Each structure stands twice: as structure tokens, then as C-alpha cells.
């Protein structure tokens, strides 16, 4: 991947949200480009129920695709699609999306919820979802992720359809179990991150 | 452009008495070609994406996209407009950001001819030369297979609305204006046609409107196919759940004749009258495919190399989207998006003297069965022995109808239209 050089600089004044990358054709791009129909160009989504998958930790994306493929993670479309790809192909797609920047759109959030969410994040979540959810070794990037997608995910987790990682279950369902309102506040906090 | 338009335009030009200057301008190159250039015809689901992804993959290649309309109106999600739960404006995109962000040169003009020997596209304003040409013209209609169908007059009374826009709104208005108790007639042509689940989503949307606003009305469906073409069991389940007594479905009934004055269609066996009639005509590749001579022996669709989407008839001309035959892939917006990306990467490979890359496609099609509940079908496609096939043991339909599918569908349309316009 290399920047477009002069074209990018000239075009730069039009690009507020993210740079346009020139990427030579490759098998990885061939496999990955078609995901953008739902997940947005280079993996940054503008649809609130579709997660941005760009800039995710490699371990997390690999694990997610593996769980879609096996059916361990519930899904509508992804389980059906993931079964079509070999492990090598999934690795190529993961490498492709990992290196693209996570594009963040402005979302409607409730300031009071954001403030409560920030407190809960600091107390319970920041060890794994570091830097206000911008960074992680093996968990999803939550900062700037779509609110609606996070709501769907938390519903899947809390209804038992999707298995929570152990550490997450401990922090959410363990001592001082979070109320639905508290979970909603944390979601607003992450969605507010630009 | 069809023959009628051409004659009109020629007449117009002659009537205006072209000065020698404008004749020279007409004959000249609109944008003199300096470096390597791909010309793309059509600014829909395929054309926008192939233009963008060529520029993203190799910015040294110039891309000129020719499109006659300043605004594109999406067919996917237009059935919701007919049902009454969506504004057609939300289906529209423009091309200004594509131009600004990716340096695509958009020419708003009508293609009047294609000279594949000289590698030139003729437009109203002159000619545009190419090294490679990508056609993404969508569909036209085989009106000649419907006796009594006047391509200009009939849609005023019986809008097909199979290209989204004015006719979508007309069909919507007819449904709103119809007296309660009236019968809506909808006919489905023999497959293949644009959007295999489209007619059945439309039937659902019309039934949804009738159920909520015209409870004494019903919709009678005449389907030329032996059964529902796509997602059959799910549509039947939805109709049983939501529209019992509202949808009357007749498979194996092909409309062969229409009479828009009598508001009647004829299957050759039976004449059927309706208060609102939506005849979806049989289809073929868009007109520019015929201009380029890339339509196959069936005289309907364009055979292409499944790896590069280059025509198997005319070299250096690629065809993507509804107009081409892409093996097992359905004629859908997502298919066109996916084919455009495969085509873009391999056009860049070919222009750089490199081997084409084995294709990988995805298709996802959502259909709304109410204003909120949806169903879906999805698959991954690859090329095996020169044929595009669905990857075995993957893909398939959603297990059920659900509002969650509808929630995902809403984000799908946002993302795919955003991809096409930015």
C-alpha cells in the first residue's frame, strides 16, 4: 500500500474523513473488496448496523471469522459467507482490513449517557479496550464503532445467543452486574469517540 | 439510446441547421487522450464502482465515465417506495464526490454509437477514445414479445417501474389513488431478469399497502415461471403470515398481450383486467451493448470471460452487471458491485501486462416482506474451469423472516450507495 502521492495531496482538500489509498491489485484485495458492499470501502462502514472492520486487531478479526465459520457466533449473513473461504483466504482478508484505518463517522449520542459510560469504561473495560476503546491486542475496536451494531452485539451477548469472553463476562455479569441502562451508557461513550 | 431516440436526435440536429463549427466540434475528441484510458459507460451499481476501483488500484490510468443522468436512482429499495415506507429521494446519488475524490472524469451525455475498431465511443458532443471500454448499461426491455405493448404509451397506464424513477412514483400514485376493492395485477417475465427476488418483494410491498389501506383489494400475480424464482419458501411463508387472502398467485401464467386502454392483460388462455396493472416486461442487455456488438447468440445478454469480464466477441470491451452473463450469479445490484471490482482489478492487471487475478465475488440480496421484516439470500462465487459458480457448502437463504434482517438491509443500502458516490 502506498499513498497516491501528488494526486492525494491535490485531492486532499476534498478528503475530510479519510485518505484514498492506492493499492495495487492483489489476491488479498480481490477477496476483500467485495466485502465493502456491506462494510464500506476498505472496511469503514456508514451503515449503523454494519460494523466497521478496518483497523481491527488481527487476532480479533481472525477469531471472529473462525467463529462465524463454525457457527459459534450467531449471524445472519456472515456465517453463510464465512463458510466459503479457506483459512488462508481468511488470513489474507484479515491482513487487508487490519492495515486500513478505522473510519469514524459522527453519531448522535446522549451527553449524560456518555459521561456515565466513560466512568464505567474506566472502571471495568479499559484493560482490554485500551485508549478509550481505540486500541486492543485481541478485542474489537469499540471507539467510533456504530451504536446500533454495538446494541445488537450486546443484546446477543446478554441474551445468551453469543458467548462472552470470560474476562468480559466477569466485568459485565459478575459483581455489580451492569444494568441495561449502564450497558447503553457505555455504548454511547464508545460511539461518541471520534 | 434506442433507434427512436437516434432518429429524434438526428432530426433535431438537422432542424437546428448545424454550423460548420459545431459539426467540427461534434466530430472532435471531447477529451483528447494523452495517457492510458478506460472509458466506462453507465453510472449505476457497476459503472461507478469499476471507475472508482480502477482509480484506487492504479491512479496512472485515466477513467472517463459516461452517464446520461446527473442523478442515479437505485432500483434496490425502490419497492419500499411503492409500498409507501420509503422516499425515492433516499435512493438517489450524484457523482460529484467520485469526481473530486478519485479524479474520475464524468461526462454527462448520451452514447450514440461505439466504434470498436477505432476504439471510440460517440456521444452527443463528439467522440471519446479508449484503450479499454467497460460497459455497465443495465437492462432494456423486449417489448416486442408483448403484443399491443407501446413502449411510450403503455407505461403511462401500466408502469413497469423496473428502472427506478418516474415510473416508481407513478405506480405508487396509482396504488394510492385506486378505489378500495380494486384488483392489482402484476406479471413476472420468464427468468433471467434483473433482480430475481424483485417481483416477489414488490408483490409483498403492494400487499402490505393493500392490507393497511385497501382491505377489500387484492393482488393477482401472473408468473411466467413454474414457481417463485428466488427465496420461494420464505416468500410463501411471509405471504401466509401477513397476506392471507390478499395475494392470489398463479405460476406458469405468461402474459403475451397487453391492452392499456382496456387495462387488461392476456395470457393466451385468459384475459385479466385490473385497476392497477404492473407488467414487468421480459428483458435484455442495455442498448449500448448492442451498439458495441457484444450481445451473444441469444440476442439478449453479453457473454464474457468470467475472469476479466472482457467480451468473448469484441476484444478490449468489458461488460459487467445485469447486461452480462456471469454464470451462477444473479442479476443484482450487489452482483454488479462485485463484478465491477473484479473487472477493475483485472483491467488494471491487463493494462500493466500482468496476469489476471482469480475472481472472488459476493452477492447479498435482501427483500422486504413488510415495511420492516426482511429475508435474504447470499453466496460467494468463484471461477472454476472458466465458469462462475457458487462456492459449495456455503451461502443460502436466511432461516426466517425477521426485523433484524431488515435492520441489516437498511445499512446495506447506505453502504453500497455511499460506496458508489464517494
Amino acid at each position: 500500500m502506498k499513498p497516491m502521492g501528488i494526486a492525494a495531496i491535490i485531492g486532499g482538500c476534498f478528503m475530510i474523513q479519510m485518505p484514498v489509498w492506492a493499492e495495487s491489485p492483489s489476491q488479498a484485495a480481490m477477496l476483500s473488496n467485495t466485502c465493502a458492499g456491506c462494510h464500506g470501502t476498505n472496511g469503514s462502514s456508514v451503515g449503523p448496523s454494519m460494523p466497521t472492520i478496518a483497523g481491527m486487531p488481527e487476532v480479533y478479526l481472525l477469531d471472529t471469522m473462525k467463529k462465524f465459520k463454525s457457527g459459534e457466533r450467531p449471524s445472519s449473513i456472515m456465517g453463510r459467507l464465512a463458510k466459503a473461504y479457506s483459512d488462508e483466504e481468511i488470513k489474507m482478508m484479515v491482513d487487508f482490513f487490519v492495515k486500513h484505518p478505522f473510519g469514524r463517522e459522527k453519531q448522535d449520542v446522549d451527553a449524560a449517557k456518555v459521561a456515565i459510560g466513560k466512568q464505567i469504561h474506566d472502571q471495568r473495560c479499559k484493560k482490554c479496550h485500551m485508549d478509550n476503546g481505540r486500541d486492543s491486542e485481541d478485542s474489537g475496536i469499540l471507539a467510533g464503532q456504530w451504536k446500533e451494531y454495538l446494541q445488537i452485539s450486546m443484546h446477543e451477548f446478554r441474551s445468551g445467543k453469543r458467548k462472552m469472553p470470560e474476562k468480559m463476562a466477569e466485568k459485565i455479569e459478575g459483581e455489580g452486574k451492569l444494568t441495561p441502562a449502564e450497558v447503553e451508557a457505555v455504548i454511547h461513550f464508545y460511539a461518541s469517540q471520534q | 439510446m434506442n433507434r427512436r431516440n437516434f432518429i429524434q436526435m438526428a432530426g433535431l440536429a438537422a432542424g437546428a441547421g448545424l454550423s460548420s463549427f459545431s459539426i467540427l466540434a461534434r466530430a472532435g475528441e471531447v477529451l483528447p487522450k494523452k495517457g492510458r484510458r478506460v472509458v466506462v459507460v453507465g453510472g449505476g451499481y457497476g459503472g461507478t464502482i469499476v471507475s472508482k476501483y480502477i482509480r484506487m488500484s492504479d491512479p496512472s490510468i485515466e477513467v472517463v465515465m459516461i452517464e446520461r443522468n446527473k442523478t442515479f436512482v437505485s432500483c434496490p429499495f425502490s419497492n419500499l417506495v411503492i409500498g409507501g415506507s420509503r422516499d425515492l429521494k433516499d435512493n438517489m446519488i450524484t457523482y460529484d464526490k467520485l469526481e473530486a475524490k478519485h479524479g474520475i472524469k464524468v461526462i454527462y451525455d448520451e452514447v450514440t454509437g461505439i466504434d470498436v475498431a477505432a476504439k471510440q465511443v460517440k456521444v452527443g458532443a463528439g467522440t471519446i477514445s479508449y484503450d479499454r471500454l467497460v460497459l455497465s448499461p443495465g437492462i432494456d426491455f423486449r417489448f416486442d414479445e408483448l403484443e399491443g405493448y407501446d413502449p411510450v404509451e403503455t407505461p403511462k397506464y401500466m408502469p413497469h417501474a423496473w428502472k427506478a424513477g418516474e415510473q416508481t412514483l407513478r405506480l405508487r400514485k396509482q396504488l394510492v389513488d385506486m378505489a378500495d376493492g380494486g384488483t392489482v395485477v402484476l406479471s413476472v417475465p420468464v427468468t433471467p431478469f434483473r433482480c430475481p427476488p424483485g417481483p416477489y418483494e414488490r408483490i409483498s410491498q403492494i400487499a402490505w399497502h393493500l392490507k393497511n389501506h385497501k382491505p377489500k383489494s387484492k393482488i393477482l400475480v401472473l408468473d411466467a415461471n413454474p414457481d417463485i424464482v428466488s427465496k420461494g419458501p420464505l416468500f410463501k411463508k411471509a405471504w401466509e403470515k401477513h397476506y392471507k387472502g390478499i395475494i392470489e398467485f398463479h405460476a406458469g401464467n405468461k402474459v403475451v398481450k397487453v391492452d392499456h386502454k382496456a387495462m387488461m392483460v392476456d395470457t393466451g388462455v385468459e384475459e385479466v383486467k385490473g385497476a392497477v396493472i404492473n407488467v414487468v416486461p421480459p428483458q435484455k442487455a442495455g442498448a449500448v451493448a448492442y451498439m458495441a456488438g457484444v450481445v451473444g447468440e441469444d440476442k439478449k445478454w453479453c457473454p464474457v470471460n468470467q475472469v476479466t469480464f472482457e467480451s468473448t466477441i469484441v476484444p478490449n470491451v468489458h461488460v459487467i452487471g445485469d447486461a452480462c452473463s456471469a454464470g451462477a450469479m444473479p442479476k443484482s445490484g450487489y452482483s454488479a458491485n462485485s463484478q465491477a471490482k473484479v473487472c477493475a482489478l483485472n483491467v488494471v492487471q491487463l493494462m500493466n501486462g500482468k496476469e489476471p487475478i482469480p475472481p472472488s465475488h459476493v452477492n447479498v440480496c435482501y427483500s422486504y416482506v413488510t415495511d420492516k421484516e426482511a429475508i435474504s439470500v447470499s453466496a460467494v462465487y468463484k471461477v472454476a474451469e472458466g465458469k462462475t459458480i457458487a462456492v459449495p457448502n456455503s451461502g443460502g437463504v436466511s432461516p426466517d423472516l425477521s426485523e433484524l434482517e431488515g435492520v441489516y438491509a437498511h445499512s446495506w443500502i447506505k453502504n453500497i450507495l455511499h460506496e458508489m458516490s464517494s
Side-chain angles (χ1 to χ4, degrees), chain B residues 358-377:
Chain B
S360 179
H361 295 279
V362 168
N363 177 57
V364 177
C365 283
Y366 292 97
S367 304
Y368 280 89
V369 294
T370 68
D371 59 331
K372 290 189 181 71
E373 274 186 7
I375 56 181
S376 64
V377 63

Side-chain angles (χ1 to χ4, degrees), chain B residues 146-181:
Chain B
L146 294 166
E147 192 187 334
Y149 200 105
D150 181 323
V152 175
E153 287 303 310
T154 304
K156 291 181 187 167
Y157 302 90
M158 302 178 175
H160 55 71
W162 218 244
K163 291 182 181 182
E166 195 192 332
Q167 290 198 30
T168 312
L169 298 174
R170 194 179 306 153
L171 181 56
R172 168 69 189 156
K173 185 171 187 307
Q174 288 183 345
L175 290 168
V176 170
D177 292 347
M178 185 180 81
D180 191 9

Side-chain angles (χ1 to χ4, degrees), chain A residues 21-23 25-27 30-31 33-34 36-38 41 45-50 76-77 80 83-85 89 148, chain B residues 52 56-57 334 338 341 349 357-358 362 366 376 378 380 382 394-398 405 407-408 411-412 415 419:
Chain A
W21 298 97
E23 169 147 348
S26 63
Q27 185 65 39
M30 179 62 84
L31 288 161
N33 284 345
T34 191
C38 291
T41 304
S45 171
V46 298
S49 63
M50 298 282 186
S76 165
I77 300 284
R80 289 180 253 159
K83 287 188 187 72
Y85 299 104
E89 287 172 328
E148 194 172 7
Chain B
K52 170 172 164 173
M56 282 168 63
S57 305
Y334 205 124
S338 199
K341 290 166 180 173
Q349 288 293 92
I357 299 166
V362 168
Y366 292 97
S376 64
S378 61
V380 176
K382 295 198 167 167
S394 66
V397 296
S398 52
E405 292 276 338
V407 165
Y408 287 135
S411 286
W412 171 79
N415 270 317
E419 248 225 309

Side-chain angles (χ1 to χ4, degrees), chain A residues 52-191:
Chain A
T52 285
I53 55 175
M56 288 283 167
E58 182 187 349
V59 178
Y60 170 77
L61 266 194
L62 276 174
D63 184 59
T64 301
M65 285 299 283
K66 200 175 95 187
K67 284 176 176 159
F68 277 137
K69 203 172 164 177
S70 71
E72 187 184 333
R73 177 165 170 182
S75 67
S76 165
I77 300 284
M78 281 309 300
R80 289 180 253 159
L81 295 182
K83 287 188 187 72
Y85 299 104
S86 69
D87 292 348
E88 293 73 32
E89 287 172 328
I90 286 174
K91 178 74 169 69
M92 279 192 266
M93 295 156 90
V94 165
D95 289 346
F96 178 93
F97 287 112
V98 162
K99 71 184 181 194
H100 280 96
F102 188 118
R104 292 181 171 85
E105 301 279 324
K106 198 162 171 49
Q107 301 185 50
D108 287 334
V109 288
D110 179 319
K113 287 180 185 169
V114 171
I116 298 166
K118 163 81 174 148
Q119 282 182 2
I120 298 168
H121 165 81
D122 285 344
Q123 289 159 6
R124 300 179 185 232
C125 316
K126 72 175 185 186
K127 267 194 195 164
C128 294
H129 298 285
M130 298 174 287
D131 190 16
N132 289 340
R134 266 171 199 281
D135 191 13
S136 179
E137 282 168 16
D138 55 5
S139 314
I141 300 299
L142 303 179
Q145 188 56 281
W146 285 102
K147 200 169 68 185
E148 194 172 7
Y149 165 72
L150 294 175
Q151 287 163 341
I152 293 168
S153 296
M154 286 311 295
H155 176 74
E156 285 172 353
F157 277 131
R158 300 206 93 183
S159 65
K161 280 186 196 155
R162 178 175 166 192
K163 193 170 173 285
M164 272 192 213
E166 242 169 67
K167 282 188 223 161
M168 183 177 170
E170 214 173 275
K171 297 291 182 186
I172 292 180
E173 311 293 357
E175 199 186 327
K177 179 176 173 163
L178 292 181
T179 64
E182 285 169 327
V183 167
E184 182 67 9
V186 181
I187 288 172
H188 276 249
F189 167 67
Y190 291 127

